[in-house]
């Protein structure tokens, strides 16, 4: 890796020791910014600077409007076709008239901001790297801190909301009520989307829900502090998601980019809209019909940027369900490309590998 080559050229640079020192502060990237740093520490440096002024080509992520899909069969059919086209080509789409009220979206963004900006000593109590699934809330900076080649300019909390929804007292006070309410809305929307995706695959509308795609929900509250040298680092590096689908709520600052047709394309925030994308598990069970696209988040001198990613997955929770390419989608000309796996097996491998720019799906190909 280029990063380690750079480290070798600087004999005084003990990356592992610097990672450990950063981790032990339990204050994340926000702690560095609060301390008034003016230069990005070496652990965050990309092998080569990020081009923040790249030319934006004339391509726009599809926007799908859910208005009327429950009582207008013609409208529903049109939306199913749009979902199919978007997931086959982009793996992403923006979503309008999704049924989650604006005030709930705003309150959820505020809840994430309030969690990350609460008293440092109180926030530290939630800091952990226990990914066993036993801990209801995980707050840290970089889930793959010790595995990834570059540390990201991002702090995150992760809450498992389903199965087995948390009791209110298990959640952080700054976002306790809104997390529960927002998750209820997102679960309802997720079930709706899995119905549309099932129909887009030519299956019964209940197919994906019946096989357990909506059994698990994890909500991530990302906080990207303002960065003094945004070209030197990255908010989230190039990666694909490890779930069935992700529903993303982003604020007005932007920074999300999707790799589409060999170029990085901006996803400008649309007020009140959500971003939906296919994860690796959806690509696996559809045998590559729907794509889990690479995406990243660049840093910014303006901030903090707040986003809320809702992952439909049971994650580290051990379940008996086994997933492989859906039989109805296979044929002699389209044989299974992936072996059967559990969600936990996939997620364990994904997290151990870290966000290193390669697809975890390759590991599970036949």
């Amino acid at each position: 890796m280029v990063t380690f080559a750079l480290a070798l050229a600087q004999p005084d640079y003990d990356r592992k020791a610097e990672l450990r020192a950063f981790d032990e502060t339990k204050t994340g990237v926000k702690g560095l910014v609060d301390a008034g740093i003016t230069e990005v520490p070496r652990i965050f440096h990309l092998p080569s600077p990020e081009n923040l002024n790249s030319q934006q080509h004339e391509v726009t992520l599809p926007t799908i409007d859910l208005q009327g899909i429950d009582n207008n069969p013609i409208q529903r059919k049109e939306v199913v076709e749009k979902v199919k086209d978007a997931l086959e080509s982009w793996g992403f789409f923006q979503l309008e008239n999704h049924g989650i009220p604006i005030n709930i979206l705003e309150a959820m963004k505020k809840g994430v901001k309030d969690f990350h900006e609460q008293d440092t000593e109180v926030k530290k109590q939630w800091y952990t790297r226990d990914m066993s699934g036993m801990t209801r809330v995980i707050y840290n900076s970089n889930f793959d801190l010790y595995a990834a080649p570059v540390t990201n300019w991002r702090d995150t909390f992760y809450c498992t909301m389903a199965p087995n929804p948390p009791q209110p007292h298990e959640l952080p006070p700054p976002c306790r009520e809104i997390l529960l309410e927002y998750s209820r809305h997102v679960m309802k929307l997720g079930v709706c989307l899995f119905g549309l995706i099932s129909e887009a695959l030519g299956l019964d509308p209940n197919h994906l829900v019946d096989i357990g795609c909506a059994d698990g929900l994890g909500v991530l509250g990302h906080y990207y502090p303002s960065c003094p040298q945004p070209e030197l680092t990255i908010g989230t590096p190039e990666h694909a998601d490890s779930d069935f689908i992700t529903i993303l709520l982003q604020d007005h600052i932007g920074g999300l980019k999707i790799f589409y047709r060999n170029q990085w394309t901006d996803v400008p925030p649309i007020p009140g809209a959500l971003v939906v994308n296919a994860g690796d598990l959806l690509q696996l069970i559809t045998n590559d019909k729907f794509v889990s696209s690479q995406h990243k988040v660049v840093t910014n001198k303006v901030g903090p940027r707040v986003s809320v990613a809702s992952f439909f997955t049971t994650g580290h929770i051990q379940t008996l369900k086994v997933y492989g390419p859906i039989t109805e989608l296979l044929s002699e000309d389209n044989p299974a490309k992936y072996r059967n796996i559990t969600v936990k097996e996939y997620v364990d491998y994904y997290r151990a590998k870290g966000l290193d720019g390669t697809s975890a799906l390759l590991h599970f190909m036949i």
Side-chain angles (χ1 to χ4, degrees), residues 83 86-88 90-93 194 197 239-247 275-284 286 289-295 361:
V83 167
L87 292 181
E88 283 180 346
W90 286 84
F92 272 79
F93 54 88
F194 281 124
I197 295 167
H239 71 289
D241 290 347
S242 61
D243 56 355
F244 290 103
I245 63 170
T246 304
I247 297 175
V275 178
V276 177
N277 66 279
D280 284 351
L281 292 174
L282 188 65
Q283 180 167 333
L284 184 145
T286 63
K289 181 172 177 61
F290 291 159
V291 295
S292 173
S293 291
Q294 296 286 311
H295 51 288
L361 280 171

Side-chain angles (χ1 to χ4, degrees), residues 49-335:
E50 182 75 21
N51 182 2
L52 299 176
N53 301 310
S54 54
Q55 187 67 37
Q56 178 65 46
H57 298 268
E58 289 302 311
V59 286
T60 307
L61 183 65
T63 298
I64 296 175
D65 189 331
L66 294 189
Q67 187 85 46
I69 60 162
D70 290 329
N71 45 31
N72 185 332
I74 296 168
Q75 183 80 6
R76 186 178 183 90
K77 194 175 179 186
E78 287 176 4
V79 167
V80 166
E81 200 57 37
K82 286 177 181 174
V83 167
K84 178 173 175 284
D85 290 346
L87 292 181
E88 283 180 346
S89 55
W90 286 84
F92 272 79
F93 54 88
Q94 301 243 37
L95 194 64
E96 293 186 314
N97 288 311
H98 42 68
I100 304 182
I102 288 281
N103 65 309
I104 300 292
L105 302 181
E106 293 303 316
M108 188 63 236
K109 286 185 286 188
K110 183 179 185 297
V112 171
K113 193 166 183 285
D114 288 351
F115 171 86
H116 287 284
E117 294 179 357
Q118 69 182 306
D119 178 80
T120 302
E121 292 306 310
V122 176
K123 186 170 63 170
K124 278 182 182 179
Q125 296 168 22
W126 300 94
Y127 197 93
T128 180
R129 293 206 173 273
D130 176 8
M131 306 289 259
S132 65
M134 302 300 290
T135 308
R136 181 64 79 175
V137 178
I138 297 168
Y139 152 62
N140 60 43
S141 186
N142 292 251
F143 76 88
D144 55 353
L145 183 68
Y146 296 103
V150 175
T151 308
N152 309 153
W153 200 258
R154 178 189 80 250
D155 299 332
T156 302
F157 70 75
Y158 180 94
C159 298
T160 303
M161 304 305 291
N164 314 317
Q167 296 300 311
H169 72 267
E170 296 178 282
L171 298 174
C175 51
R176 179 176 291 161
E177 302 302 327
I178 190 59
L179 251 178
L180 292 165
E181 188 168 3
Y182 181 72
S183 298
R184 283 192 290 269
H185 282 282
V186 166
M187 181 57 81
K188 184 180 176 186
L189 176 58
V191 168
C192 166
L193 287 169
F194 281 124
L196 295 170
I197 295 167
S198 296
E199 290 179 52
L201 291 166
L203 302 168
D204 180 89
N206 297 320
H207 189 99
L208 293 180
V209 169
D210 286 348
I211 66 171
C213 293
D215 284 1
L217 178 65
V219 178
L220 288 81
H222 293 309
Y223 186 91
Y224 302 86
S226 58
C227 181
Q229 297 170 300
E231 70 287 349
L232 294 186
T233 187
I234 193 85
T236 307
E238 179 180 342
H239 71 289
D241 290 347
S242 61
D243 56 355
F244 290 103
I245 63 170
T246 304
I247 297 175
L248 178 76
L249 166 63
Q250 57 173 341
D251 69 10
H252 62 285
I253 289 175
L256 175 64
K257 292 176 181 282
I258 300 168
F259 197 65
Y260 176 70
R261 292 185 178 168
N262 296 315
Q263 66 190 31
W264 287 104
T265 301
D266 287 323
V267 182
I270 298 174
L274 295 166
V275 178
V276 177
N277 66 279
D280 284 351
L281 292 174
L282 188 65
Q283 180 167 333
L284 184 145
I285 65 172
T286 63
N287 211 42
D288 289 351
K289 181 172 177 61
F290 291 159
V291 295
S292 173
S293 291
Q294 296 286 311
H295 51 288
K296 65 181 179 181
V297 178
V298 297
T299 54
N300 202 311
K301 283 190 174 178
V302 179
R305 175 186 186 262
V306 165
S307 70
V308 187
S310 299
F311 277 51
F312 281 85
T313 174
T314 47
H316 271 304
I317 298 167
Q318 186 72 62
T319 71
L320 297 175
K321 287 185 173 149
V322 174
Y323 292 93
I326 295 168
T327 309
E328 291 87 337
L329 305 181
L330 303 178
S331 65
E332 201 173 320
D333 297 330
N334 182 32

